[in-house]
Amino acid sequence: MGSIANISGQRGESIACNILNNLGFSKLTNKKFSEENVEIISYTQQFPYISIYGSEKSKLDILINIYGLILAIEVKVKNVSGSVDEKFPYFFENALMQYPGNDAGILLIGDKMRKGAVDWLHQKSKLSEKKIHIICGENEFKNIILNYMNKL
């Protein structure tokens, strides 16, 4: 089941990256990605961070720079039954305490997310001091990115 989850995760990241590419973002390596660069719109994948458990092997799916505003994105895909939505609390705590950047988001792709789990995410994000987007689907992801671009 782990290899299927990895393939689903890679597909989800690919969907998000295609949207960013179509909006004119440059894909950079982790070494070339800079949070201070306010001149360009760019992103990187599998950006390393230290998790709430202290693991230095953790990787954030996508880190986006929109003219100096940094948005950390985790992608979760669930088209079949499984436990991906049970990892939402882990995502949320990392987003609050460990993810780099100004804001964070979780991109949910697929129609098998448990309603209670998604409702929990929405409820927690409303109470959070940090802006954490609960993004349901590709169109909403694109709209959120466009909104950030239009604000700056």
Side-chain angles (χ1 to χ4, degrees):
M1 192 70 163
S3 62
I4 292 171
N6 285 340
I7 291 168
S8 291
Q10 290 168 355
R11 272 196 208 125
E13 283 181 50
S14 178
I15 289 168
C17 291
N18 284 338
I19 290 168
L20 293 171
N21 291 333
N22 289 337
L23 292 174
F25 282 75
S26 301
K27 181 179 179 182
L28 303 176
T29 64
N30 288 334
K31 289 182 181 176
K32 290 191 176 185
F33 186 86
S34 171
E35 295 181 29
E36 287 86 39
N37 192 339
V38 297
E39 305 288 319
I40 62 170
I41 52 175
S42 61
Y43 72 95
T44 190
Q45 289 179 265
Q46 297 301 305
F47 192 82
Y49 74 97
I50 299 172
S51 77
I52 57 172
Y53 300 144
S55 172
E56 296 181 12
K57 295 181 180 180
S58 298
K59 297 199 173 155
L60 178 64
D61 290 337
I62 303 171
L63 191 61
I64 303 169
N65 180 341
I66 305 172
Y67 303 115
L69 187 137
I70 305 301
L71 178 61
I73 298 290
E74 187 71 27
V75 181
K76 297 294 180 198
V77 178
K78 189 171 180 191
N79 291 315
V80 296
S81 62
S83 63
V84 73
D85 44 18
E86 292 176 9
K87 299 172 185 155
F88 290 172
Y90 180 74
F91 151 77
F92 204 87
E93 289 302 311
N94 275 310
L96 283 177
M97 299 167 42
Q98 301 301 112
Y99 284 0
N102 311 86
D103 298 348
I106 183 167
L107 171 56
L108 306 174
I109 299 173
D111 59 356
K112 297 294 184 183
M113 303 286 175
R114 286 176 232 174
K115 183 182 178 327
V118 175
D119 290 345
W120 180 89
L121 276 173
H122 282 289
Q123 185 178 33
K124 291 294 280 185
S125 70
K126 287 178 185 172
L127 302 173
S128 171
E129 290 181 20
K130 185 174 185 177
K131 181 66 179 168
I132 300 179
H133 298 277
I134 313 308
I135 309 164
C136 298
E138 302 97 289
N139 288 335
E140 190 173 334
F141 177 69
K142 180 179 178 181
N143 289 335
I144 285 173
I145 298 301
L146 286 170
N147 284 337
Y148 273 97
M149 293 171 74
N150 290 332
K151 285 181 186 176
L152 301 173

